[in-house]
Amino acid sequence: MTTVLHIAASTRGTESATGLLAGELIERLTGPDTTVIERRLVDGGVPQLSVAATANLTTAPTDRAPASAEVLAAGDQLIAELDAADIVVIGAPIYNFGPPSALKAWADLVARAGVTFTYTETGPAGLLRDRPVYIVSASGGTPIGSEIDFGTTWLRMFLNFLGITNVTVIGADGLAMDPETGLAKARDQIALVNA
Ligand SMILES: Cc1cc2nc3c(=O)[nH]c(=O)nc-3n(C[C@H](O)[C@H](O)[C@H](O)COP(=O)(O)O)c2cc1C
């Protein structure tokens, strides 16, 4: 059985370009034995890291301060589903030149010292096993992969930090100017993905 985790960070609901394209990619990745898990981050799907949660990040679950328990339990769940996934598709649109705030909140909960990364004598090392991750991004004008794209470049860096280096970016950029061309470019990239 293959588990595909779809993490969706767009706030644009049914208008979401990354939602549309991630759906098309997931259809391509889906076989008879595939389970798709949806993780929608917006509208309360992910809590913000709090003062109490930060203070208890490395505390054993049974010893966590009550005020931190809910946020850290949400983080535990996000880490567990990321860890269990064989393939991950992240809908990560460009908002204000970077990731949507919900995706940053997800990262703040998923980065856990001793669980998803550690520090060695030579620097940090990721603790998650590598697996294919597809970042599906979209922008109104910001060229994806350019020096003013702090969204996909940050997310790739973050995944690398956790040990995940098999990362492919699928980008529909310039949608505010020429949506047909932007979507077609992303669909060409999706067509190259081995099903
Ligand atoms: C809050 C917000 C901020 C945005 N900031 C940018 C930006 O910095 N650069 C850009 O090219 N487009 C920007 N856009 C446009 C989105 O990238 C574009 O609408 C894209 O389709 C978003 O993907 P989505 O439809 O999956 O949400 C922004 C849109 C929103 C809602």
Side-chain angles (χ1 to χ4, degrees):
M1 198 182 73
T2 303
T3 302
V4 176
L5 172 64
H6 175 203
I7 297 170
S10 171
T11 58
R12 298 203 325 124
T14 54
E15 300 293 307
S16 168
T18 55
L20 174 73
L21 293 166
E24 293 177 15
L25 171 60
I26 289 167
E27 212 170 287
R28 188 173 171 79
L29 294 168
T30 300
D33 287 336
T34 308
T35 302
V36 180
I37 294 173
E38 295 278 341
R39 171 60 64 181
R40 305 209 159 269
L41 300 180
V42 298
D43 290 346
V46 64
Q48 293 273 334
L49 191 58
S50 60
V51 172
T54 307
N56 286 264
L57 267 178
T58 55
T59 308
T62 44
D63 296 334
R64 287 171 181 163
S68 72
E70 198 177 324
V71 172
L72 291 175
D76 294 344
Q77 166 78 24
L78 297 172
I79 291 168
E81 67 190 16
L82 177 61
D83 191 30
D86 300 302
I87 303 174
V88 184
V89 175
I90 308 179
I94 305 291
Y95 287 178
N96 297 307
F97 304 99
S101 54
L103 187 58
K104 182 59 168 56
W106 172 84
D108 289 346
L109 292 178
V110 163
R112 183 90 62 86
V115 178
T116 56
F117 74 94
T118 190
Y119 284 105
T120 69
E121 279 174 12
T122 52
L127 294 177
L128 293 182
R129 93 190 128 79
D130 205 4
R131 73 207 76 196
V133 175
Y134 297 92
I135 298 173
V136 179
S137 191
S139 79
T142 303
I144 290 167
S146 72
E147 61 178 11
I148 59 167
D149 163 13
F150 301 99
T152 71
T153 52
W154 161 77
L155 186 53
R156 183 192 286 278
M157 162 69 217
F158 176 71
L159 293 164
N160 288 178
F161 175 70
L162 302 182
I164 299 173
T165 59
N166 186 356
V167 178
T168 303
V169 175
I170 289 164
D173 48 19
L175 294 183
M177 297 170 292
D178 184 354
E180 285 78 21
T181 303
L183 289 171
K185 202 163 82 178
R187 287 183 170 130
D188 286 349
Q189 294 166 332
I190 289 172
L192 295 175
V193 172
N194 286 328

